[in-house]
Amino acid sequence: AARLLRLMRLMKLRQMLFTIQSLVDSEWLTLTMVVVKNLATIVLINHFLACIWFGVGRADEVEGWVAKEGLGGSDVGVQYLVSLQWSLAQFTPGSSQVKPDTTIERCVVVGVLALGLVIATCFISSVTSTMNAVWTAKRYNFTQQLLLKKFLNQNQVPRDLACRINHYVDFVAELRHKRVHASKVDYLSFLSGPLYIELQAELYKPTLCAHPCFGQIHLYSKPMMHEICAAALNGHENYAKNDLIFHQGAKAKNMLFLKCGSLAYRFLPAGCLRPKTLKLGAGNWCTEAVLWMPWDHVGTMKAISEVDVISVKASKLHEITRSYREAYPILRGYAFDFWQEAREHGEGSLTDLPFAQMELDLEVKSQQVYYTSEEELKHAEDVQLSLVQWDD
């Protein structure tokens, strides 16, 4: 029973270490953990070797090293420290005053020295390989940046376009460094179908559920929500500053969710002669109308900062809805509410933005005062909104 309890404790310790490793996503922290884990392993091995060395020295009460050093009647702590110092000295350039005197002690010393040579080699190799992996990744990114700049210069790409390309690539590289893209993780291809669907749902569900319709779908039909996340999304799409998201008159196919960044939307309101420009912030969505009717973009949208967009394919959503009768009334009800709200706002009031966003952004904001850094950033984006270059 005691042995079984020890085994269970070791299994729990191993599981805890695996959990800690799964939470670490920093290269340098990973390197630190490798060093700490190897050191802990070496100390544990030396603990057992110290106990064995003391037992061998105490076996011969006359010629053994314990008797020769006069430690037979010493405190247990002193005996353990002397033994541990000897065992650690066999793994490092350190020295110990304890010397083998009997044949069995010399055999133990030879075995420990051979073991120390192997363990030290493995320790150095593990740390070196981890450091090489970190430096290789950094060297690869640096080399790619140089090659990109050389390519643009050799092909005489206009300076403005070259700067935009470099800026976008730097943004995507930094974003990929902070958040690993799914295409970089080969092990994801090992996942079974149900595990992959569950993973996709956990990745995209928080963003989609910001919309009331998808929140209701998740509440009443989790399998449908999982299938939407796995089959009806285009995944993360990254855009750099001043990139075109869509233009007026183009046929809409996807509903867009803005995960981070800010977008500028320009359109011509009904009854107005001059176009208006509005800002769409993170956590919002646009082109919802494509889910409920054939839709052509009413305005043009550009990025005013680096943005991350998740798009829902309308045709795929309609196809999935046919397989879930319990969720069909939810989508039908939201389609009817959308149509009714459009009628209340009047003909020509439909845009690519949500109705609530339109009412909020059309209010006068010139008297706002900004204090915090986050609000200063928003203020800078509002200023940038007026500087966006449009093609028309």
Side-chain angles (χ1 to χ4, degrees):
R3 291 182 179 179
L4 182 61
L5 183 60
R6 292 193 192 98
L7 288 174
M8 291 179 64
R9 288 178 178 174
L10 287 175
M11 292 178 63
K12 287 183 179 180
L13 179 61
R14 184 180 178 184
Q15 185 177 4
M16 184 179 67
L17 290 175
F18 181 78
T19 303
I20 294 174
Q21 288 179 342
S22 65
L23 296 175
V24 175
D25 57 358
S26 169
E27 294 91 347
W28 295 109
L29 193 55
T30 301
L31 177 61
T32 303
M33 285 197 62
V34 169
V35 174
V36 171
K37 184 176 69 173
N38 289 338
L39 285 176
T41 303
I42 291 176
V43 171
L44 182 62
I45 293 174
N46 276 270
H47 164 74
F48 290 109
L49 291 177
C51 296
I52 293 173
W53 177 243
F54 181 77
V56 170
R58 197 174 183 180
D60 192 332
E61 297 181 356
V62 178
E63 299 294 332
W65 70 268
V66 175
K68 291 290 183 67
E69 296 294 331
L71 296 174
S74 300
D75 183 69
V76 176
V78 175
Q79 295 174 343
Y80 176 74
L81 288 176
V82 172
S83 302
L84 184 62
Q85 180 188 6
W86 174 88
S87 63
L88 287 172
Q90 313 312 306
F91 286 74
T92 63
S95 61
S96 174
Q97 296 180 355
V98 177
K99 305 296 180 183
D101 292 305
T102 63
T103 303
I104 189 171
E105 289 178 358
R106 291 187 175 89
C107 292
V108 171
V109 169
V110 172
V112 171
L113 286 174
L115 179 64
L117 177 63
V118 174
I119 293 178
T121 304
C122 292
F123 174 76
I124 296 173
S125 175
S126 175
V127 175
T128 304
S129 62
T130 305
M131 291 187 66
N132 282 338
V134 174
W135 290 119
T136 300
K138 291 185 177 296
R139 186 165 56 248
Y140 173 80
N141 293 335
F142 180 72
T143 304
Q144 290 300 316
Q145 287 178 349
L146 288 180
L147 289 176
L148 176 61
K149 292 177 181 178
K150 185 180 291 187
F151 171 81
L152 296 175
N153 291 332
Q154 290 178 351
N155 290 274
Q156 298 180 350
V157 176
R159 183 174 299 177
D160 179 62
L161 177 59
C163 290
R164 288 172 54 198
I165 291 174
N166 281 308
H167 184 66
Y168 176 73
V169 170
D170 290 342
F171 160 67
V172 174
E174 184 179 358
L175 191 65
R176 294 284 177 87
H177 180 74
K178 292 180 179 178
R179 187 183 63 241
V180 180
H181 195 267
S183 61
K184 297 293 184 181
V185 187
D186 295 334
Y187 277 16
L188 290 179
S189 61
F190 298 163
L191 296 181
S192 62
L195 275 178
Y196 176 78
I197 292 175
E198 189 174 351
L199 174 62
Q200 294 297 103
E202 292 300 323
L203 291 176
Y204 298 113
K205 181 177 61 180
T207 302
L208 297 184
C209 286
H211 190 280
C213 179
F214 290 99
Q216 290 291 316
I217 292 175
H218 174 64
L219 186 62
Y220 290 100
S221 181
K222 286 184 174 60
M224 180 179 176
M225 190 65 186
H226 287 185
E227 188 170 351
I228 290 173
C229 294
L233 303 184
N234 283 335
H236 291 273
E237 299 177 12
N238 301 317
Y239 295 91
K241 185 178 178 180
N242 293 324
D243 279 356
L244 178 68
I245 311 300
F246 57 77
H247 59 84
Q248 182 180 357
K251 185 175 181 61
K253 297 181 180 179
N254 305 322
M255 178 182 178
L256 306 181
F257 286 83
L258 183 57
K259 189 173 179 64
C260 67
S262 297
L263 299 171
Y265 179 70
R266 195 179 195 221
F267 71 108
L268 184 64
C272 297
L273 298 178
R274 298 183 61 182
K276 284 187 174 292
T277 305
L278 304 178
K279 186 180 76 171
L280 188 71
N284 290 297
W285 58 85
C286 61
T287 63
E288 179 186 354
V290 72
L291 300 183
W292 322 121
M293 63 183 74
W295 182 253
D296 294 335
H297 292 297
V298 178
T300 301
M301 180 167 283
K302 282 189 171 184
I304 58 177
S305 66
E306 288 73 16
V307 298
D308 191 2
V309 175
I310 297 174
S311 56
V312 181
K313 294 179 279 191
S315 58
K316 194 64 181 180
L317 177 65
H318 299 160
E319 181 182 335
I320 294 173
T321 304
R322 299 188 188 101
S323 303
Y324 295 90
R325 294 183 178 181
E326 69 276 11
Y328 179 78
I330 298 176
L331 274 81
R332 183 179 60 182
Y334 273 95
F336 180 77
D337 291 343
F338 185 88
W339 172 77
Q340 188 173 15
E341 193 169 2
R343 289 189 59 185
E344 291 175 357
H345 281 76
E347 186 177 356
S349 64
L350 279 178
T351 67
D352 296 286
L353 299 183
F355 293 113
Q357 185 71 23
M358 288 288 298
E359 295 172 356
L360 177 64
D361 284 333
L362 287 175
E363 296 176 356
V364 178
K365 302 180 180 180
S366 59
Q367 298 180 355
Q368 289 188 4
V369 180
Y370 298 86
Y371 297 99
T372 65
S373 58
E374 183 177 356
E375 289 171 339
E376 288 176 356
L377 177 61
K378 292 180 180 179
H379 178 56
E381 291 178 348
D382 290 338
V383 174
Q384 179 65 29
L385 190 66
S386 62
L387 302 177
V388 176
Q389 296 180 356
W390 305 94
D391 295 332
D392 54 350

